[in-house]
PDB file of all heavy atoms in Angstrom:
ATOM      1  N   SER A 215     -96.103 -24.184-288.408  1.00 96.00           N
ATOM      2  CA  SER A 215     -95.370 -23.957-287.187  1.00 96.00           C
ATOM      3  C   SER A 215     -96.312 -23.553-286.074  1.00 96.00           C
ATOM      4  O   SER A 215     -97.451 -23.043-286.326  1.00 96.00           O
ATOM      5  CB  SER A 215     -94.383 -22.812-287.430  1.00 96.00           C
ATOM      6  OG  SER A 215     -93.390 -23.159-288.375  1.00 96.00           O
ATOM      7  N   THR A 216     -95.903 -23.771-284.841  1.00 97.00           N
ATOM      8  CA  THR A 216     -96.651 -23.378-283.678  1.00 97.00           C
ATOM      9  C   THR A 216     -96.148 -22.043-283.147  1.00 97.00           C
ATOM     10  O   THR A 216     -94.925 -21.898-282.964  1.00 97.00           O
ATOM     11  CB  THR A 216     -96.582 -24.428-282.573  1.00 97.00           C
ATOM     12  OG1 THR A 216     -97.101 -25.641-283.040  1.00 97.00           O
ATOM     13  CG2 THR A 216     -97.424 -23.974-281.341  1.00 97.00           C
ATOM     14  N   VAL A 217     -97.066 -21.107-282.922  1.00 97.00           N
ATOM     15  CA  VAL A 217     -96.701 -19.816-282.422  1.00 97.00           C
ATOM     16  C   VAL A 217     -97.507 -19.539-281.165  1.00 97.00           C
ATOM     17  O   VAL A 217     -98.741 -19.766-281.132  1.00 97.00           O
ATOM     18  CB  VAL A 217     -96.979 -18.701-283.471  1.00 97.00           C
ATOM     19  CG1 VAL A 217     -96.571 -17.361-282.936  1.00 97.00           C
ATOM     20  CG2 VAL A 217     -96.222 -18.981-284.782  1.00 97.00           C
ATOM     21  N   ILE A 218     -96.901 -19.030-280.145  1.00 98.00           N
ATOM     22  CA  ILE A 218     -97.596 -18.633-278.917  1.00 98.00           C
ATOM     23  C   ILE A 218     -97.741 -17.122-278.918  1.00 98.00           C
ATOM     24  O   ILE A 218     -96.767 -16.372-279.070  1.00 98.00           O
ATOM     25  CB  ILE A 218     -96.845 -19.079-277.682  1.00 98.00           C
ATOM     26  CG1 ILE A 218     -96.813 -20.584-277.610  1.00 98.00           C
ATOM     27  CG2 ILE A 218     -97.550 -18.527-276.424  1.00 98.00           C
ATOM     28  CD1 ILE A 218     -96.090 -21.132-276.327  1.00 98.00           C
ATOM     29  N   LEU A 219     -98.959 -16.634-278.772  1.00 97.00           N
ATOM     30  CA  LEU A 219     -99.210 -15.218-278.614  1.00 97.00           C
ATOM     31  C   LEU A 219     -99.523 -14.976-277.127  1.00 97.00           C
ATOM     32  O   LEU A 219    -100.384 -15.560-276.533  1.00 97.00           O
ATOM     33  CB  LEU A 219    -100.440 -14.803-279.433  1.00 97.00           C
ATOM     34  CG  LEU A 219    -100.410 -15.082-280.958  1.00 97.00           C
ATOM     35  CD1 LEU A 219    -101.653 -14.464-281.615  1.00 97.00           C
ATOM     36  CD2 LEU A 219     -99.137 -14.469-281.572  1.00 97.00           C
ATOM     37  N   VAL A 220     -98.745 -14.066-276.503  1.00 96.00           N
ATOM     38  CA  VAL A 220     -98.934 -13.705-275.104  1.00 96.00           C
ATOM     39  C   VAL A 220     -99.700 -12.396-275.056  1.00 96.00           C
ATOM     40  O   VAL A 220     -99.180 -11.343-275.465  1.00 96.00           O
ATOM     41  CB  VAL A 220     -97.566 -13.579-274.412  1.00 96.00           C
ATOM     42  CG1 VAL A 220     -97.830 -13.305-272.892  1.00 96.00           C
ATOM     43  CG2 VAL A 220     -96.711 -14.857-274.560  1.00 96.00           C
ATOM     44  N   ILE A 221    -100.936 -12.474-274.567  1.00 93.00           N
ATOM     45  CA  ILE A 221    -101.814 -11.316-274.558  1.00 93.00           C
ATOM     46  C   ILE A 221    -102.291 -11.056-273.148  1.00 93.00           C
ATOM     47  O   ILE A 221    -103.258 -11.669-272.635  1.00 93.00           O
ATOM     48  CB  ILE A 221    -103.014 -11.541-275.497  1.00 93.00           C
ATOM     49  CG1 ILE A 221    -102.541 -11.792-276.925  1.00 93.00           C
ATOM     50  CG2 ILE A 221    -103.958 -10.378-275.449  1.00 93.00           C
ATOM     51  CD1 ILE A 221    -103.635 -12.080-277.906  1.00 93.00           C
ATOM     52  N   PRO A 222    -101.625 -10.163-272.411  1.00 87.00           N
ATOM     53  CA  PRO A 222    -102.102  -9.842-271.058  1.00 87.00           C
ATOM     54  C   PRO A 222    -103.490  -9.172-271.131  1.00 87.00           C
ATOM     55  O   PRO A 222    -103.747  -8.373-272.024  1.00 87.00           O
ATOM     56  CB  PRO A 222    -101.052  -8.839-270.565  1.00 87.00           C
ATOM     57  CG  PRO A 222     -99.893  -9.003-271.456  1.00 87.00           C
ATOM     58  CD  PRO A 222    -100.453  -9.412-272.804  1.00 87.00           C
ATOM     59  N   ILE A 223    -104.341  -9.545-270.208  1.00 80.00           N
ATOM     60  CA  ILE A 223    -105.613  -8.853-270.100  1.00 80.00           C
ATOM     61  C   ILE A 223    -105.552  -7.866-268.996  1.00 80.00           C
ATOM     62  O   ILE A 223    -105.696  -8.143-267.824  1.00 80.00           O
ATOM     63  CB  ILE A 223    -106.773  -9.905-269.801  1.00 80.00           C
ATOM     64  CG1 ILE A 223    -106.788 -10.961-270.932  1.00 80.00           C
ATOM     65  CG2 ILE A 223    -108.088  -9.180-269.761  1.00 80.00           C
ATOM     66  CD1 ILE A 223    -106.979 -10.419-272.316  1.00 80.00           C
ATOM     67  N   ASP A 224    -105.208  -6.593-269.368  1.00 65.00           N
ATOM     68  CA  ASP A 224    -104.947  -5.573-268.387  1.00 65.00           C
ATOM     69  C   ASP A 224    -105.900  -4.403-268.619  1.00 65.00           C
ATOM     70  O   ASP A 224    -106.886  -4.521-269.386  1.00 65.00           O
ATOM     71  CB  ASP A 224    -103.526  -5.104-268.383  1.00 65.00           C
ATOM     72  CG  ASP A 224    -103.081  -4.636-269.786  1.00 65.00           C
ATOM     73  OD1 ASP A 224    -103.950  -4.390-270.623  1.00 65.00           O
ATOM     74  OD2 ASP A 224    -101.858  -4.520-269.993  1.00 65.00           O
ATOM     75  N   LYS A 225    -105.641  -3.286-268.044  1.00 58.00           N
ATOM     76  CA  LYS A 225    -106.514  -2.112-268.155  1.00 58.00           C
ATOM     77  C   LYS A 225    -106.622  -1.566-269.575  1.00 58.00           C
ATOM     78  O   LYS A 225    -107.619  -0.969-269.941  1.00 58.00           O
ATOM     79  CB  LYS A 225    -106.021  -1.017-267.210  1.00 58.00           C
ATOM     80  CG  LYS A 225    -106.193  -1.343-265.736  1.00 58.00           C
ATOM     81  CD  LYS A 225    -105.649  -0.225-264.873  1.00 58.00           C
ATOM     82  CE  LYS A 225    -105.717  -0.571-263.406  1.00 58.00           C
ATOM     83  NZ  LYS A 225    -105.172   0.529-262.534  1.00 58.00           N
ATOM     84  N   GLU A 226    -105.571  -1.814-270.383  1.00 58.00           N
ATOM     85  CA  GLU A 226    -105.602  -1.270-271.738  1.00 58.00           C
ATOM     86  C   GLU A 226    -106.327  -2.165-272.729  1.00 58.00           C
ATOM     87  O   GLU A 226    -106.616  -1.752-273.854  1.00 58.00           O
ATOM     88  CB  GLU A 226    -104.140  -1.004-272.231  1.00 58.00           C
ATOM     89  CG  GLU A 226    -103.447   0.103-271.549  1.00 58.00           C
ATOM     90  CD  GLU A 226    -102.240   0.607-272.246  1.00 58.00           C
ATOM     91  OE1 GLU A 226    -102.003   0.127-273.389  1.00 58.00           O
ATOM     92  OE2 GLU A 226    -101.478   1.431-271.730  1.00 58.00           O
ATOM     93  N   ALA A 227    -106.631  -3.406-272.304  1.00 59.00           N
ATOM     94  CA  ALA A 227    -107.376  -4.299-273.220  1.00 59.00           C
ATOM     95  C   ALA A 227    -108.854  -3.908-273.173  1.00 59.00           C
ATOM     96  O   ALA A 227    -109.451  -3.808-272.103  1.00 59.00           O
ATOM     97  CB  ALA A 227    -107.227  -5.731-272.688  1.00 59.00           C
ATOM     98  N   PRO A 228    -109.451  -3.641-274.304  1.00 60.00           N
ATOM     99  CA  PRO A 228    -110.889  -3.262-274.325  1.00 60.00           C
ATOM    100  C   PRO A 228    -111.784  -4.346-273.833  1.00 60.00           C
ATOM    101  O   PRO A 228    -111.487  -5.548-274.115  1.00 60.00           O
ATOM    102  CB  PRO A 228    -111.128  -2.953-275.801  1.00 60.00           C
ATOM    103  CG  PRO A 228    -110.063  -3.665-276.571  1.00 60.00           C
ATOM    104  CD  PRO A 228    -108.881  -3.712-275.666  1.00 60.00           C
ATOM    105  N   LYS A 229    -112.798  -4.052-273.113  1.00 69.00           N
ATOM    106  CA  LYS A 229    -113.684  -5.047-272.519  1.00 69.00           C
ATOM    107  C   LYS A 229    -114.304  -5.946-273.595  1.00 69.00           C
ATOM    108  O   LYS A 229    -114.910  -5.485-274.572  1.00 69.00           O
ATOM    109  CB  LYS A 229    -114.804  -4.340-271.704  1.00 69.00           C
ATOM    110  CG  LYS A 229    -115.673  -5.321-270.960  1.00 69.00           C
ATOM    111  CD  LYS A 229    -116.660  -4.560-270.067  1.00 69.00           C
ATOM    112  CE  LYS A 229    -117.503  -5.530-269.275  1.00 69.00           C
ATOM    113  NZ  LYS A 229    -118.513  -4.797-268.423  1.00 69.00           N
ATOM    114  N   GLY A 230    -114.121  -7.231-273.416  1.00 71.00           N
ATOM    115  CA  GLY A 230    -114.707  -8.182-274.380  1.00 71.00           C
ATOM    116  C   GLY A 230    -113.929  -8.381-275.643  1.00 71.00           C
ATOM    117  O   GLY A 230    -114.362  -9.106-276.508  1.00 71.00           O
ATOM    118  N   ARG A 231    -112.787  -7.700-275.808  1.00 74.00           N
ATOM    119  CA  ARG A 231    -112.075  -7.745-277.046  1.00 74.00           C
ATOM    120  C   ARG A 231    -110.552  -7.749-276.745  1.00 74.00           C
ATOM    121  O   ARG A 231    -110.135  -7.558-275.594  1.00 74.00           O
ATOM    122  CB  ARG A 231    -112.387  -6.521-277.972  1.00 74.00           C
ATOM    123  CG  ARG A 231    -113.824  -6.510-278.426  1.00 74.00           C
ATOM    124  CD  ARG A 231    -114.093  -5.277-279.268  1.00 74.00           C
ATOM    125  NE  ARG A 231    -114.108  -4.053-278.420  1.00 74.00           N
ATOM    126  CZ  ARG A 231    -113.418  -2.989-278.686  1.00 74.00           C
ATOM    127  NH1 ARG A 231    -112.612  -2.940-279.683  1.00 74.00           N
ATOM    128  NH2 ARG A 231    -113.468  -1.922-277.908  1.00 74.00           N
ATOM    129  N   ILE A 232    -109.748  -7.960-277.798  1.00 82.00           N
ATOM    130  CA  ILE A 232    -108.321  -7.783-277.690  1.00 82.00           C
ATOM    131  C   ILE A 232    -107.922  -6.699-278.666  1.00 82.00           C
ATOM    132  O   ILE A 232    -108.630  -6.404-279.618  1.00 82.00           O
ATOM    133  CB  ILE A 232    -107.535  -9.064-277.940  1.00 82.00           C
ATOM    134  CG1 ILE A 232    -107.855  -9.705-279.264  1.00 82.00           C
ATOM    135  CG2 ILE A 232    -107.800 -10.067-276.821  1.00 82.00           C
ATOM    136  CD1 ILE A 232    -107.058 -10.948-279.597  1.00 82.00           C
ATOM    137  N   ILE A 233    -106.759  -6.057-278.462  1.00 83.00           N
ATOM    138  CA  ILE A 233    -106.440  -4.879-279.207  1.00 83.00           C
ATOM    139  C   ILE A 233    -106.055  -5.202-280.662  1.00 83.00           C
ATOM    140  O   ILE A 233    -105.665  -6.331-280.982  1.00 83.00           O
ATOM    141  CB  ILE A 233    -105.309  -4.094-278.560  1.00 83.00           C
ATOM    142  CG1 ILE A 233    -103.990  -4.860-278.485  1.00 83.00           C
ATOM    143  CG2 ILE A 233    -105.729  -3.601-277.173  1.00 83.00           C
ATOM    144  CD1 ILE A 233    -102.856  -4.045-277.926  1.00 83.00           C
ATOM    145  N   LEU A 234    -106.163  -4.219-281.518  1.00 83.00           N
ATOM    146  CA  LEU A 234    -106.044  -4.389-282.956  1.00 83.00           C
ATOM    147  C   LEU A 234    -104.785  -5.117-283.454  1.00 83.00           C
ATOM    148  O   LEU A 234    -104.888  -6.087-284.237  1.00 83.00           O
ATOM    149  CB  LEU A 234    -106.184  -3.038-283.653  1.00 83.00           C
ATOM    150  CG  LEU A 234    -106.164  -3.051-285.176  1.00 83.00           C
ATOM    151  CD1 LEU A 234    -107.344  -3.888-285.724  1.00 83.00           C
ATOM    152  CD2 LEU A 234    -106.295  -1.643-285.712  1.00 83.00           C
ATOM    153  N   PRO A 235    -103.568  -4.715-283.044  1.00 88.00           N
ATOM    154  CA  PRO A 235    -102.381  -5.408-283.536  1.00 88.00           C
ATOM    155  C   PRO A 235    -102.376  -6.898-283.281  1.00 88.00           C
ATOM    156  O   PRO A 235    -101.911  -7.715-284.028  1.00 88.00           O
ATOM    157  CB  PRO A 235    -101.239  -4.711-282.841  1.00 88.00           C
ATOM    158  CG  PRO A 235    -101.734  -3.385-282.460  1.00 88.00           C
ATOM    159  CD  PRO A 235    -103.195  -3.634-282.153  1.00 88.00           C
ATOM    160  N   GLN A 236    -102.952  -7.279-282.113  1.00 92.00           N
ATOM    161  CA  GLN A 236    -103.020  -8.676-281.725  1.00 92.00           C
ATOM    162  C   GLN A 236    -103.988  -9.443-282.642  1.00 92.00           C
ATOM    163  O   GLN A 236    -103.709 -10.569-283.096  1.00 92.00           O
ATOM    164  CB  GLN A 236    -103.414  -8.816-280.254  1.00 92.00           C
ATOM    165  CG  GLN A 236    -102.397  -8.169-279.328  1.00 92.00           C
ATOM    166  CD  GLN A 236    -102.907  -7.943-277.907  1.00 92.00           C
ATOM    167  OE1 GLN A 236    -104.075  -8.142-277.634  1.00 92.00           O
ATOM    168  NE2 GLN A 236    -102.060  -7.465-277.029  1.00 92.00           N
ATOM    169  N   VAL A 237    -105.134  -8.816-282.941  1.00 91.00           N
ATOM    170  CA  VAL A 237    -106.109  -9.409-283.850  1.00 91.00           C
ATOM    171  C   VAL A 237    -105.541  -9.617-285.248  1.00 91.00           C
ATOM    172  O   VAL A 237    -105.609 -10.680-285.866  1.00 91.00           O
ATOM    173  CB  VAL A 237    -107.386  -8.540-283.956  1.00 91.00           C
ATOM    174  CG1 VAL A 237    -108.329  -9.095-284.978  1.00 91.00           C
ATOM    175  CG2 VAL A 237    -108.058  -8.474-282.597  1.00 91.00           C
ATOM    176  N   GLN A 238    -104.824  -8.568-285.748  1.00 91.00           N
ATOM    177  CA  GLN A 238    -104.266  -8.604-287.074  1.00 91.00           C
ATOM    178  C   GLN A 238    -103.130  -9.651-287.199  1.00 91.00           C
ATOM    179  O   GLN A 238    -102.996 -10.347-288.184  1.00 91.00           O
ATOM    180  CB  GLN A 238    -103.731  -7.220-287.480  1.00 91.00           C
ATOM    181  CG  GLN A 238    -104.870  -6.237-287.677  1.00 91.00           C
ATOM    182  CD  GLN A 238    -104.346  -4.879-288.009  1.00 91.00           C
ATOM    183  OE1 GLN A 238    -103.567  -4.285-287.245  1.00 91.00           O
ATOM    184  NE2 GLN A 238    -104.807  -4.293-289.129  1.00 91.00           N
ATOM    185  N   THR A 239    -102.288  -9.770-286.123  1.00 95.00           N
ATOM    186  CA  THR A 239    -101.283 -10.773-286.100  1.00 95.00           C
ATOM    187  C   THR A 239    -101.817 -12.171-286.114  1.00 95.00           C
ATOM    188  O   THR A 239    -101.337 -13.087-286.814  1.00 95.00           O
ATOM    189  CB  THR A 239    -100.332 -10.542-284.890  1.00 95.00           C
ATOM    190  OG1 THR A 239     -99.812  -9.198-284.905  1.00 95.00           O
ATOM    191  CG2 THR A 239     -99.187 -11.516-284.904  1.00 95.00           C
ATOM    192  N   LEU A 240    -102.850 -12.395-285.285  1.00 96.00           N
ATOM    193  CA  LEU A 240    -103.528 -13.700-285.246  1.00 96.00           C
ATOM    194  C   LEU A 240    -104.055 -14.091-286.613  1.00 96.00           C
ATOM    195  O   LEU A 240    -103.816 -15.240-287.077  1.00 96.00           O
ATOM    196  CB  LEU A 240    -104.643 -13.638-284.223  1.00 96.00           C
ATOM    197  CG  LEU A 240    -105.564 -14.889-284.159  1.00 96.00           C
ATOM    198  CD1 LEU A 240    -104.776 -16.123-283.815  1.00 96.00           C
ATOM    199  CD2 LEU A 240    -106.704 -14.662-283.140  1.00 96.00           C
ATOM    200  N   ARG A 241    -104.725 -13.144-287.294  1.00 94.00           N
ATOM    201  CA  ARG A 241    -105.281 -13.442-288.627  1.00 94.00           C
ATOM    202  C   ARG A 241    -104.129 -13.744-289.623  1.00 94.00           C
ATOM    203  O   ARG A 241    -104.223 -14.646-290.442  1.00 94.00           O
ATOM    204  CB  ARG A 241    -106.134 -12.291-289.118  1.00 94.00           C
ATOM    205  CG  ARG A 241    -106.678 -12.458-290.526  1.00 94.00           C
ATOM    206  CD  ARG A 241    -107.458 -13.746-290.636  1.00 94.00           C
ATOM    207  NE  ARG A 241    -107.788 -13.999-292.069  1.00 94.00           N
ATOM    208  CZ  ARG A 241    -108.925 -13.662-292.643  1.00 94.00           C
ATOM    209  NH1 ARG A 241    -109.863 -13.082-291.945  1.00 94.00           N
ATOM    210  NH2 ARG A 241    -109.127 -13.961-293.920  1.00 94.00           N
ATOM    211  N   ASP A 242    -103.051 -12.977-289.530  1.00 95.00           N
ATOM    212  CA  ASP A 242    -101.912 -13.172-290.473  1.00 95.00           C
ATOM    213  C   ASP A 242    -101.313 -14.558-290.270  1.00 95.00           C
ATOM    214  O   ASP A 242    -101.022 -15.225-291.277  1.00 95.00           O
ATOM    215  CB  ASP A 242    -100.871 -12.086-290.177  1.00 95.00           C
ATOM    216  CG  ASP A 242     -99.605 -12.292-290.993  1.00 95.00           C
ATOM    217  OD1 ASP A 242     -99.584 -11.994-292.195  1.00 95.00           O
ATOM    218  OD2 ASP A 242     -98.610 -12.769-290.399  1.00 95.00           O
ATOM    219  N   LEU A 243    -101.211 -15.024-289.050  1.00 97.00           N
ATOM    220  CA  LEU A 243    -100.617 -16.343-288.789  1.00 97.00           C
ATOM    221  C   LEU A 243    -101.556 -17.443-289.280  1.00 97.00           C
ATOM    222  O   LEU A 243    -101.097 -18.460-289.820  1.00 97.00           O
ATOM    223  CB  LEU A 243    -100.323 -16.473-287.322  1.00 97.00           C
ATOM    224  CG  LEU A 243     -99.146 -15.668-286.791  1.00 97.00           C
ATOM    225  CD1 LEU A 243     -99.132 -15.646-285.306  1.00 97.00           C
ATOM    226  CD2 LEU A 243     -97.789 -16.163-287.335  1.00 97.00           C
ATOM    227  N   LEU A 244    -102.865 -17.223-289.074  1.00 96.00           N
ATOM    228  CA  LEU A 244    -103.798 -18.216-289.537  1.00 96.00           C
ATOM    229  C   LEU A 244    -103.779 -18.309-291.090  1.00 96.00           C
ATOM    230  O   LEU A 244    -103.873 -19.352-291.703  1.00 96.00           O
ATOM    231  CB  LEU A 244    -105.212 -17.896-289.046  1.00 96.00           C
ATOM    232  CG  LEU A 244    -105.409 -18.032-287.499  1.00 96.00           C
ATOM    233  CD1 LEU A 244    -106.837 -17.532-287.161  1.00 96.00           C
ATOM    234  CD2 LEU A 244    -105.208 -19.460-287.079  1.00 96.00           C
ATOM    235  N   ASP A 245    -103.724 -17.138-291.732  1.00 94.00           N
ATOM    236  CA  ASP A 245    -103.609 -17.110-293.202  1.00 94.00           C
ATOM    237  C   ASP A 245    -102.323 -17.762-293.677  1.00 94.00           C
ATOM    238  O   ASP A 245    -102.300 -18.205-294.856  1.00 94.00           O
ATOM    239  CB  ASP A 245    -103.672 -15.656-293.684  1.00 94.00           C
ATOM    240  CG  ASP A 245    -105.033 -15.030-293.568  1.00 94.00           C
ATOM    241  OD1 ASP A 245    -105.997 -15.820-293.438  1.00 94.00           O
ATOM    242  OD2 ASP A 245    -105.179 -13.801-293.615  1.00 94.00           O
ATOM    243  N   SER A 246    -101.319 -17.792-292.859  1.00 95.00           N
ATOM    244  CA  SER A 246    -100.039 -18.426-293.219  1.00 95.00           C
ATOM    245  C   SER A 246     -99.997 -19.904-292.806  1.00 95.00           C
ATOM    246  O   SER A 246     -98.921 -20.512-292.806  1.00 95.00           O
ATOM    247  CB  SER A 246     -98.883 -17.653-292.543  1.00 95.00           C
ATOM    248  OG  SER A 246     -98.903 -16.292-292.963  1.00 95.00           O
TER     249      SER A 246
END
Side-chain angles (χ1 to χ4, degrees):
S215 296
T216 300
V217 180
I218 296 180
L219 302 185
V220 183
I221 301 177
I223 303 301
D224 55 17
K225 293 178 181 178
E226 291 197 8
K229 187 176 181 180
R231 296 177 289 127
I232 57 178
I233 63 175
L234 183 61
Q236 297 163 356
V237 175
Q238 291 177 306
T239 303
L240 173 59
R241 176 56 190 263
D242 175 76
L243 290 167
L244 293 175
D245 287 342
S246 301

